[in-house]
């Protein structure tokens, strides 16, 4: 391991140069993966745009009943036509999501804490690979706590899931956790996203920050961006626009869709930014028109 003292500050991100190893496959860093992995990644990232709208409603895995998700059976089905991927627990999927849909599946496979704990950073792998295969998961989502008390166990969880994923060609989505004590700076996100990519994740979920383009450039696999806490719709659409402009391969949004005054129209507006190239202003105009009909 390199000596930590006297480290130079990383600065050569070559923002003017596209990722050099794209090959013919449309997903960053995935050109050398096998057919099965690529098939799953193609259900997540649209082959025409290279991007994705993931819809996260896995909050119950540690928050229990969450505002906007009180009735998964009623809330999720109307949103499904407008998103590419459903990110959820196996319990939510099996009990509340009709199987006769063709959305991609990002299966939450770690668990271990709840809102009653101060430190949320200790998790285990709670879903085995056979069940991910049975559910036809397109990726397995693992929470990772870089810089937190639970870092070692979350890296252990991540490695186990990535190893199992390689055995059966199922990609792993590494989710960068942020906590009360953890900074939300480009320095932190460059560290965390790069560690996850170098561990072998095929997709990394993180947060928007200053110098976001550098975070994207330094990460050799696609980044999808969490929405975070509920914002006014206009601001949430600006966030979606900024992350796409900054080079993210998509969003993985939860509360800013399901807690919106008009969740379906919000999902449609986000989709227009991600896949159709609308600006935040154009998407907000769409949202206003569509939600006043
Ligand atoms: C937690 C997660 C959640 O799925 C995600 O944060 C939910 O999305 P949002 O923040 O947009 O409500 O991955 O780390």
């Amino acid at each position: 391991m390199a000596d930590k003292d006297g480290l130079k500050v990383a600065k050569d991100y070559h923002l003017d140069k596209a990722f050099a190893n794209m090959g013919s496959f449309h997903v960053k860093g995935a050109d050398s993966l096998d057919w099965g992995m690529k098939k799953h990644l193609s259900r997540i990232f649209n082959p025409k745009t290279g991007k994705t709208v993931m819809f996260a409603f896995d909050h119950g895995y540690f928050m229990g009943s969450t505002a906007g998700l009180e009735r998964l059976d009623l809330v999720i089905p109307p949103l499904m036509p407008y998103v590419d991927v459903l990110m959820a627990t196996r319990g939510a999927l099996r009990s509340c999501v009709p199987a006769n849909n063709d959305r991609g599946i990002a299966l939450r496979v770690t668990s271990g804490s709840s809102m009653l704990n101060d430190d949320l950073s200790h998790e285990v792998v709670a879903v085995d690979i056979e069940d991910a295969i049975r559910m036809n998961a397109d990726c397995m989502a693992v929470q990772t706590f870089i810089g937190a008390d639970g870092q070692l166990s979350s890296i252990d969880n991540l490695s186990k899931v990535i190893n199992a994923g390689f055995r059966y060609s199922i990609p792993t989505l590494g989710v960068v956790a942020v906590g009360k004590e953890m900074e939300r700076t480009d320095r932190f996100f460059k560290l965390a996203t790069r560690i996850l990519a170098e561990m072998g994740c095929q997709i990394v979920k993180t947060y928007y920050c200053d110098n976001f383009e550098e975070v994207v450039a330094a990460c050799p696999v696609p980044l999808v961006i969490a929405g975070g806490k509920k914002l006014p719709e206009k601001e949430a659409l600006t966030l979606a626009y900024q992350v796409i402009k900054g080079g993210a391969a998509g969003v993985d949004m939860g509360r800013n869709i399901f807690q919106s005054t008009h969740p379906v129209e919000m999902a449609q507006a986000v989709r227009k930014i991600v896949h159709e190239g609308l600006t935040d202003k154009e998407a907000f105009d769409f949202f206003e028109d569509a939600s006043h009909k």
Side-chain angles (χ1 to χ4, degrees), residues 18-22 25-31 33 41 45 50 202-203 213 215-223 247 249:
F19 184 65
N21 196 31
M22 275 311 280
F25 192 62
H26 64 286
V27 179
K28 186 178 184 182
D31 200 50
L33 299 178
L41 288 168
F45 297 99
Q202 289 79 18
I203 315 166
E213 291 82 355
V215 181
V216 172
C219 184
V221 300
L223 294 182

Side-chain angles (χ1 to χ4, degrees), residues 144-151 181-182 188 191 195:
T144 53
F145 299 87
I146 302 300
D149 267 7
Q151 173 173 307
E181 313 300 330
M182 291 149 85
F188 172 71
L191 172 81
I195 289 175

Side-chain angles (χ1 to χ4, degrees), residues 72 88-97 107-108 127 131 135:
L72 293 168
T89 61
R90 61 180 170 183
L93 289 165
R94 280 202 169 98
S95 59
C96 299
V97 177
L107 183 64
R108 163 70 63 184
V127 176
D131 209 30
M135 298 206 66

